[in-house]
Amino acid sequence: MGSSLSVLARRDQRQSASDLLLASGERVRFGAVTRAGRLVKREPGEEFGHGLRTWEHYAIILLLAGGGRFRNAHGFNARVSSGDLLWAFPGVGHAYGPEAGDKWEEIYLVFNGDLFDRAKATELIDPCRPVWRATPVNRWRRRLSDVIPPEHPIGELSALSAAGRLLSLIADLASQQETLTFST
């Protein structure tokens, strides 16, 4: 993630560091990646003290280093670590982040559209399976970074192109999950 991708950066060395790599209001009917970034937390956040939060969009969060907890409104509550990819679904309450003594470094993508609604409807992605393994971590970090369009501001066709790259990545990750789940 080179500095050429960073359009906005905010640093607070006491609590966290954040690089917003993409911010776009684009809503493309078929799909769009609307936000992407990297976040480092050095202390537990307030995520768990305020209940579950709900978003209008999909998001995937790849935990690059450290560990913590993920829970959602479907009763999922588990410890997560480097190499776990977390799913946040529209309308599904969730909370995630470091617990006491944990460090946390993530890259995330926020997206929406019919492509992803269909992926959910066909159960390619499923709110009841909100944590996937994405190892080796550096490979999937690079793949997620490659989804982010290099130009800013991002236009409609660029947002759609990014959504296509993300759907391809999701299919590849889903294939890896089957191998992990069903290997003998």
Side-chain angles (χ1 to χ4, degrees), residues 25-70:
E26 288 295 328
R27 170 74 172 141
V28 178
R29 181 172 180 243
F30 294 116
V33 175
T34 58
R35 195 169 179 89
R38 185 180 76 73
L39 180 64
V40 176
K41 294 181 179 182
R42 291 175 179 76
E43 295 180 14
E46 299 178 8
E47 291 88 354
F48 302 110
H50 296 291
L52 302 178
R53 59 186 169 184
T54 303
W55 293 339
E56 296 178 13
H57 304 282
Y58 296 89
I60 52 175
I61 302 95
L62 175 60
L63 189 50
L64 301 173
R69 181 155 303 276
F70 177 87

Side-chain angles (χ1 to χ4, degrees), residues 148-161:
I148 302 166
E151 68 276 354
H152 299 285
I154 184 174
E156 182 176 348
L157 290 177
S158 197
L160 180 58
S161 180

Side-chain angles (χ1 to χ4, degrees), residues 74-156:
H74 289 285
F76 189 90
N77 185 352
R79 183 93 179 133
V80 293
S81 61
S82 177
D84 284 336
L85 183 119
L86 317 177
W87 282 92
F89 289 86
V92 178
H94 64 277
Y96 61 86
E99 296 180 294
D102 288 333
K103 294 180 180 170
W104 182 280
E105 181 180 352
E106 71 180 56
I107 183 173
Y108 65 89
L109 297 175
V110 178
F111 47 98
N112 59 42
D114 292 348
L115 286 172
F116 307 108
D117 293 341
R118 292 293 302 151
K120 182 179 168 208
T122 60
E123 297 180 354
L124 175 64
I125 58 177
D126 182 353
C128 293
R129 288 184 333 135
V131 177
W132 291 6
R133 282 302 289 166
T135 54
V137 175
N138 283 332
R139 173 182 177 217
W140 294 106
R141 180 195 49 78
R142 281 191 302 275
R143 293 275 314 266
L144 284 169
S145 294
D146 288 346
V147 167
I148 302 166
E151 68 276 354
H152 299 285
I154 184 174
E156 182 176 348

Side-chain angles (χ1 to χ4, degrees), residues 162-178:
R165 288 190 302 276
L166 178 56
L167 188 60
S168 176
L169 179 145
I170 290 169
D172 291 346
L173 269 168
S175 178
Q176 179 177 304
Q177 303 315 297
E178 278 188 1

